[in-house]
Amino acid sequence: MIDGSILIGAEARQSDTRFTSVDPATGEALQPAFSSAGAEAVDAACALAEAAFPAYAAITPERRGAFLDTAAQAILDIGDELIVRAMQETGLPRARLEGERARTVGQLRLFASVVRQGDWLDATIDPALPDRQPLPRPDLRRMNLPLGPVAVFGASNFPLAFSVAGGDTASALAAGCPVVVKGHPAHPGTGELVARAIAAAVASSGLPAGVFSYLPGETNALGGTLVADPRINAVGFTGSRGGGLALVRIAAARAEPIPVYAEMSSINPVILFPAALAARGPALATSFVASLTMGAGQFCTNPGLVIGLDGPDLDAFVAAAGQALQGTGSATMLTPGIHAAFEKGVGALAGHDAVRTVARGGPGDGANQAVGALFETSAEQFLADSALGNEVFGSSSIVVRCRDTAELAKVVAGLEGQLTATIQIDPADEAAAAEILPLLARRVGRILANGWPTGVEVAHAMVHGGPFPATSDSRTTSVGSKAIERFLRPVCFQNLPASLIPAAIGDANEWGIARRIDGQREESPN
Ligand code: NAP
């Protein structure tokens, strides 16, 4: 059911201030109108989250895992209504949204298994050494504990997998943190359906209602008030650089500053090494254009920059990519605002003296259409004007021609932080790639060979992060099981009597988890 409610735990509230979402394919407003949460709702949600925290933090891994599995099933149980509403609100096709729902549910289930397994607790025991000389060693026991209530901001481009029950929510709930979601105004109906499913899972799992609240709204003030609330202990965000930085500033200015894990902008460089380019330039061009235009290019991992050595092989690649792009159709973008930003970014590159427009995609039909764009420039010009490296969110990319490997290395070293970098290599390129690899590793969170950056596997080894501005904290990831660490902190218990030692680090190992004892890894008894 969608009725435009604010969800404060189990309680559905309405407000007088309303907003509507827009079908980007037609530009028409969708019904119903949604309540805009105000300061009172933020206060109520944060109070409830804080009240729920001690009990939620203390439940066993088994119970928390079962709750995450229940939440996953509740999302599936919404059925087709969720897919239909998400299609209307985002312009994304059915197959993409069904895949995204599977990813969202899979993500919750992955975290359920991670929680049960217990490695995230990092249970570590250094037993007392009473006879050690010259001083005895105390009994030291360390484990990770959840930070407290977390605020989550979803992105417009993944209305399921990076939104209300997306990776930030799943990882925070897995860590034992209650979550207050600021709903994205571009997909409030989709958001409400998922929020109701999570709230129902909280209730049916017998957990305190404040474990999850949902605040729809369309003002910056709402998000700012939430991040400023003293009961919020950390923030997960995916979206624009401006939005992420605004929240980082608010969090830093609080009486008690808190971490903000903001995933923001990235242009995901692709480096074409000479042997690979010579051997398969036209094939690379075709697969590059497929990655560039997928989903109207509205992926944080979209390949927005291609770097190669100037010469006939790069000429052939650029010509083939231009031809492939001309053969693509346009696609509806997520919101009129994102479409306007795309047009502005493409217009700036097209009008730049040092940039040549290689090709545009096929003409658009309908509202808010992304018509793909491919540009080229020289490394010299690219290095001279940092604006050429700005993210243009959508299917736009620029090829940078380098005179030699030294200039290519200079371009790579000058890049801003990125989520990904891709190298296209053949065996003969490996020595040259080895030279560039350390430079790339310094700038990015994930390096991939002979593929394309779009498509992020939700797995244990995944890193979806990177130095600024890809994210506000490069030490972690927003996709994959490692994301749970963002919402935990280590606490050491020294010389506590057995009755006060938490189960995870007690002598009996009641939770049956793997632990490190006196420096040695002890496997789980299970
Ligand atoms: P966005 O405009 O940054 O919005 C994300 C969320 O943050 C929304 O809930 C928004 O709600 C809130 N917000 C934005 N600015 C705020 C501020 N100054 N203070 C408080 N809250 C704020 O991102 P988007 O709508 O998803 O996409 C817009 C742009 O983000 C794209 O053009 C693209 O450049 C970038 N983007 C990047 C990624 C990525 O993964 N790197 C993904 C998607 C989008 P309110 O507007 O209601 O405040």
Side-chain angles (χ1 to χ4, degrees):
M1 182 185 72
I2 305 172
D3 69 0
S5 290
I6 300 161
L7 299 182
I8 310 293
E11 184 201 340
R13 292 186 185 179
Q14 301 284 334
S15 82
D16 294 337
T17 320
R18 317 283 286 187
F19 70 100
T20 51
S21 57
V22 171
D23 181 341
T26 62
E28 282 167 18
L30 291 163
Q31 293 306 314
F34 291 84
S35 296
S36 274
E40 263 177 39
V42 171
D43 180 56
C46 292
L48 212 59
E50 179 62 24
F53 176 54
Y56 184 57
I59 61 173
T60 61
E62 176 50 42
R63 226 180 129 201
R64 201 178 296 153
F67 160 58
L68 294 170
D69 281 336
T70 304
Q73 189 56 46
I75 291 170
L76 287 177
D77 289 346
I78 301 167
D80 208 44
E81 184 185 4
L82 181 63
I83 301 297
V84 171
R85 183 74 194 193
M87 286 167 70
Q88 288 172 338
E89 289 185 330
T90 63
L92 294 172
R94 171 177 283 277
R96 150 71 199 273
L97 288 164
E98 286 177 349
E100 198 182 320
R101 177 177 58 185
R103 174 178 168 165
T104 307
V105 165
Q107 207 158 241
L108 285 160
R109 290 179 174 154
L110 174 78
F111 278 108
S113 73
V114 164
V115 168
R116 287 184 172 110
Q117 195 225 358
D119 275 3
W120 59 279
L121 290 155
D122 196 20
T124 305
I125 300 173
D126 292 330
L129 298 174
D131 299 329
R132 192 183 66 174
Q133 294 299 330
L135 288 171
R137 181 173 81 182
D139 180 83
L140 298 169
R141 295 168 189 250
R142 189 189 76 212
M143 66 180 288
N144 284 332
L145 290 174
L147 292 180
V150 168
V152 169
F153 292 72
S156 56
N157 60 337
F158 278 89
L160 300 170
F162 278 84
S163 192
V164 175
D168 286 342
T169 296
S171 51
L173 289 175
C177 299
V179 166
V180 180
V181 170
K182 151 67 175 76
H184 198 290
H187 54 261
T190 310
E192 184 177 337
L193 286 170
V194 174
R196 285 183 181 276
I198 305 287
V202 170
S204 70
S205 303
L207 298 174
V211 165
F212 179 82
S213 289
Y214 172 69
L215 306 174
E218 56 166 357
T219 65
N220 288 179
L222 168 57
T225 306
L226 179 60
V227 172
D229 191 286
R231 291 158 294 197
I232 294 297
N233 289 261
V235 179
F237 171 94
T238 309
S240 62
R241 190 192 297 208
L245 282 181
L247 299 182
V248 166
R249 279 191 289 269
I250 292 168
R254 293 170 31 134
E256 182 188 345
I258 54 170
V260 176
Y261 300 106
E263 191 218 309
M264 299 171 289
S265 76
S266 182
I267 57 170
N268 306 297
V270 177
I271 305 178
L272 306 172
F273 282 84
L277 197 56
R280 51 198 165 91
L284 284 174
T286 314
S287 50
F288 159 65
V289 169
S291 175
L292 173 68
T293 54
M294 182 165 52
Q298 299 167 119
F299 291 106
C300 41
T301 50
N302 192 54
L305 174 65
V306 180
I307 308 167
L309 297 184
D310 204 1
D313 292 335
L314 190 58
D315 293 345
F317 170 87
V318 169
Q323 208 174 5
L325 186 65
Q326 281 165 357
T328 62
S330 67
T332 307
M333 298 198 86
L334 292 157
T335 68
I338 285 179
H339 179 248
F342 174 73
E343 289 287 308
K344 194 171 162 206
V346 166
L349 286 172
H352 197 293
D353 287 345
V355 174
R356 181 176 86 84
T357 302
V358 174
R360 296 296 309 264
D365 192 17
N368 302 309
Q369 296 298 298
V371 175
L374 182 62
F375 302 99
E376 67 172 359
T377 190
S378 68
E380 199 180 357
Q381 296 291 347
F382 187 78
L383 289 165
D385 185 354
S386 62
L388 296 179
N390 286 348
E391 182 187 41
V392 179
F393 191 67
S395 45
S396 170
S397 192
I398 183 164
V399 178
V400 172
R401 292 174 176 268
C402 304
R403 277 193 305 262
D404 49 31
T405 45
E407 197 175 41
L408 190 146
K410 218 168 153 189
V411 170
V412 170
L415 289 173
E416 288 192 313
Q418 306 288 338
L419 293 170
T420 72
T422 302
I423 51 174
Q424 299 293 352
I425 49 168
D426 273 9
D429 293 316
E430 284 178 21
E435 300 279 312
I436 295 291
L437 217 52
L439 292 177
L440 282 179
R442 186 94 195 265
R443 308 308 305 146
V444 315
R446 176 165 60 110
I447 300 171
L448 59 143
N450 296 335
W452 297 99
T454 39
V456 182
E457 190 71 31
V458 181
H460 301 291
M462 177 49 66
V463 174
H464 191 62
F468 181 85
T471 77
S472 56
D473 189 337
S474 65
R475 292 167 296 181
T476 179
T477 174
S478 64
V479 176
S481 59
K482 192 175 167 59
I484 194 173
E485 293 170 11
R486 298 173 302 165
F487 303 116
L488 296 166
R489 66 187 178 87
V491 177
C492 177
F493 297 87
Q494 181 171 332
N495 281 344
L496 262 68
S499 67
L500 295 182
I501 294 174
I505 43 179
D507 286 344
N509 194 6
E510 278 170 45
W511 289 355
I513 56 174
R515 312 192 297 183
R516 187 172 293 277
I517 300 191
D518 215 4
Q520 300 302 313
R521 177 95 175 154
E522 232 190 25
E523 287 316 313
S524 154
N526 294 332

